[in-house]
Structure formats: structure tokens, C-alpha cells
Amino acid sequence: MAPAASSRHRSRPFPSLLILTLALTLFATVTTKAQLSENYYDASCPAALLTIRTAVAAAVLLDRRMGASLLRLHFHDCFVQGCDASVLLDDTGSFTGEKGAGPNAGSLRGFEVIDNIKMLLELLCPQTVSCADILAVAARDSVGQLGGPYWTVLLGRRDSTTASASLANSDLPGPKSNLNNLLNTFANKGLSSTDMVALSGAHTVGRAQCKNCRARIYNDTDIDASFAASLRTGCPQQAGANDGALEPLDASSPDAFDNGYFGNLLSQRGLLHSDQALFDVGTTDDLVRTYASNSDQWGSDFVAAMVKMGNISPLTGTDNGEIRMNCRRVN
Ligand code: HEM
């Protein structure tokens, strides 16, 4: 009897250790991997979504291109460290931010619109709505304001306390990319080739600078001759000349969120080398044809891909990141 009692006694720590481990794992999962949710601000800031929508509508009414710029801002946020508003941070003594990185410098726009929204939200519900969520909702509302589809944005992202210029340089796709580069860049973020092609349709709005299409309009052969000729008039061949001159990414309907972008690709009128790469005797040709002829199909694939992109590595729970008071600075 005595040995049995003592062996029962010795075995006690194991179940309790197991329970403790399970409890800690569960706790860690709950605190670090909380899910984004549709109704995140319903109780804590009921006016959040209306405030963002109103401010975006006003900004796009004043400057239609702003809708495109806000959409791009969310993309450039999500591809670098995840959707954590790192793109909005100014440089500090301890890190060089993303604003000065190659794909962003002299190109990203819309920071003041986000600042204004944040200022309003800090008055309404201090330190509640993250800058990362503002970017996601502003992107959705921009698309709506330009006549594109609507979707539900999942919420609850928190803001990073760091940014990375080097990740911005390595993880964002460039305008000289070929199809393989593009597929890899998106695959690295968990996005499929369908997501990549559907998301590229965002180039149905907005502008690109001469320096980003120069090589294409002077060197590429898969470009419509009259399209190239008309672009050359505003964008001289000499490096540095008129670098910042703007051209519409979708010449057929520059500010409407429609599937015109894909029709352009069929007639070799993609503005960027990376645009035309989607329709250049490759694996994505069929999808481009489908989107050019079926706007609803593109709309639903675009929405699904935007939701996926918005879910890239968010900071959630209480231990990760913070709710910045000013989107340009950590608290
Ligand atoms: C597929 C790879 C992509 C490449 C290589 C690319 C590259 C570029 C480049 C070079 C510009 C012009 C920047 C300038 O000249 O200042 C631009 C503009 C733009 N991009 Fe992309 N992009 C890509 C994907 C996306 C995605 C996924 C989105 C959004 C979902 C997006 C949204 C935009 C918008 C809306 C503009 C116009 C911005 C404005 O007018 O302010 N792009 N992109």
C-alpha cells in the first residue's frame, strides 16, 4: 500500500504541469493571435466608420486621384511588415522609415488625409482606432467613391512601433518586374496568382510618373505603337528629363474604378512594364481575358484579394503594437 500511495503522490505534478502548459498556450494564442472582426469598434467607437467614409468622400471630391493614392497606401502598408501602419511612420533616431524607400519616396500620397481622419477620431474616441485600420477602411471607401465594389473590412489591427526602409525596398514590387517577379513577390505574402492579377486591376485608377514608364515606352516591343508615341511626347528619353510628369495608369478611363485596365492590356496599352507582363504570352493571359470581358468576376476576385491582403500579419491582442495617437509617431 505504501509504495502505491507514494507513486500516486509522485505522479501528481505531471497532470498539473500539463494543464498549466495548456493554459499558457491558450493564453498566448488568445493574446497574440486574436482575430480581426467586423464589429470591432461598434461599442468602443460607433462613429469610426462613418467618420472615415465622410473624410474620404470629401478628399476624393476635392482631388479624384486621392482615391487611388489612399488605395495604394494600404497596399504599401500591408506588403511591408504586414498591415500595421508602418508606412505612416516618420524617420526617427532609432529607425529609418519606409517613406524614403525607393518605391515610396516622392510617390506615395495621402498622408495628410489619414492625419485628418486620425485627428477627428482622437477627438471622438481617444486611442481607440488604429492607424492600420484607418488605412484599410480608407482604401475600401476610396474604391467605393470611385465607383468600384464594396466589401466588409475586418477590423482590430494595431499599429507597429517600428518601420523598415529595407523591407520596403525588398518586399514591394517594382515597375520593371516580369511575371515571375510579380508572382514571387505576391506569393511571399501568401497571395495567389489570381490575387495578384485581380489586385493589379487597382491600376484602373491613378497616375504613374514618367521615370517609371520610360524604359517601357522607349524599349519594349509589346506596346501599341501609337500609344507609345503619344506617351513619348510628355516623357523624353533622356534620364532625368521630366521624370515626374504624370500619365494615367488606365488611359481608357483614368479615374473610374472599372475593368478598363484589363482591356488595355489586351491591346498592349499597359502603362508599366509590370502591367503588360500580366498579358504577354504567359500563364496569366487567360485571367486577363476573363477580367476584360467579365467585370463582375474581376470585382468579386478583387474584393476577395483585398480582404486577403488586409489580413497580412496584423498585430492583434494586447501585447502587440499599440494604438498610435499620431499616425506619424509611436506613442
Ligand atoms: C503588381 C505589382 C505592382 C507594381 C509593380 C506597382 C507599381 C506601381 C507604380 C510604379 C506606380 C506609379 C508610382 C509613381 O509613378 O509615382 C503605381 C501606382 C499605383 N498603384 Fe501600383 N503596383 C503594383 C500593384 C498594386 C496593387 C496591388 C495596388 C492596390 C491594390 C496598387 C495600386 C496603385 C495605385 C492606385 C496607383 C496610383 C497611385 C496614385 O495615383 O497616387 N498597385 N504602382
Side-chain angles (χ1 to χ4, degrees):
M1 290 305 282
S6 85
S7 99
R8 223 175 25 241
H9 183 72
R10 273 200 311 273
S11 68
R12 257 186 212 136
F14 295 104
S16 18
L17 198 66
L18 189 70
I19 289 165
L20 185 68
T21 314
L22 283 173
L24 284 174
T25 313
L26 189 70
F27 178 72
T29 313
V30 167
T31 53
T32 60
K33 289 212 172 151
Q35 296 290 305
L36 301 179
S37 68
E38 191 178 332
N39 306 317
Y40 194 79
Y41 297 114
D42 281 8
S44 60
C45 193
L49 296 187
L50 181 61
T51 305
I52 300 172
R53 181 163 19 112
T54 310
V56 167
V60 176
L61 275 178
L62 284 172
D63 167 14
R64 231 172 138 66
R65 183 183 169 200
M66 191 51 75
S69 305
L70 292 172
L71 171 59
R72 185 170 185 232
L73 214 42
H74 178 49
F75 162 51
H76 281 217
D77 180 33
C78 292
F79 265 54
V80 184
Q81 299 190 168
C83 310
D84 60 357
S86 54
V87 71
L88 302 178
L89 288 173
D90 288 339
D91 294 353
T92 69
S94 51
F95 63 79
T96 306
E98 294 159 26
K99 290 178 176 178
N104 295 339
S107 179
L108 278 189
R109 306 167 76 240
F111 298 109
E112 300 76 14
V113 176
I114 301 298
D115 287 342
N116 286 337
I117 294 171
K118 182 62 178 170
M119 197 188 65
L120 290 169
L121 291 177
E122 283 301 297
L123 291 173
L124 286 171
C125 6
Q127 255 189 292
T128 303
V129 183
S130 69
C131 301
D133 279 347
I134 294 173
L135 284 174
V137 176
R140 187 267 314 270
D141 293 342
S142 292
V143 169
Q145 196 63 30
L146 297 174
Y150 183 87
W151 64 96
T152 300
V153 176
L154 298 177
L155 300 163
R157 300 168 189 78
R158 291 164 64 82
D159 301 325
S160 70
T161 51
T162 55
S164 170
S166 58
L167 284 180
N169 283 320
S170 62
D171 291 9
L172 287 165
K176 293 181 180 166
S177 305
N178 63 29
L179 182 58
N180 263 338
N181 302 147
L182 296 172
L183 291 171
N184 287 334
T185 309
F186 280 68
N188 287 340
K189 302 293 163 188
L191 298 173
S192 68
S193 66
T194 302
D195 296 328
M196 190 276 284
V197 177
L199 286 172
S200 297
H203 287 182
T204 178
V205 290
R207 304 291 182 275
Q209 302 175 63
C210 155
K211 65 174 177 185
N212 287 320
C213 59
R214 179 177 285 124
R216 166 152 175 76
I217 64 181
Y218 288 98
N219 306 336
D220 284 4
T221 50
D222 57 352
I223 187 166
D224 176 82
S226 64
F227 178 63
S230 78
L231 288 167
R232 285 178 191 154
T233 60
C235 185
Q237 185 162 22
Q238 189 195 346
N242 237 0
D243 264 2
L246 296 173
E247 293 296 341
L249 280 155
D250 171 5
S252 62
S253 53
D255 296 311
F257 208 90
D258 59 17
N259 64 342
Y261 167 83
F262 294 103
N264 296 338
L265 299 186
L266 299 187
S267 57
Q268 301 197 308
R269 287 166 190 259
L271 182 64
L272 305 176
H273 181 85
S274 54
D275 290 324
Q276 196 60 54
L278 305 183
F279 187 79
D280 204 18
V281 198
T283 52
T284 50
D285 284 10
D286 281 348
L287 198 52
V288 170
R289 276 192 207 95
T290 302
Y291 291 159
S293 65
N294 188 339
S295 160
D296 289 349
Q297 176 75 52
W298 170 57
S300 63
D301 286 0
F302 177 78
V303 162
M306 282 299 291
V307 172
K308 266 173 101 173
M309 187 177 86
N311 285 344
I312 299 176
S313 314
L315 297 171
T316 54
T318 47
D319 292 351
N320 297 301
E322 60 180 19
I323 306 297
R324 275 182 227 144
M325 289 183 276
N326 176 334
C327 292
R328 293 175 185 259
R329 289 194 283 278
V330 299
N331 293 338

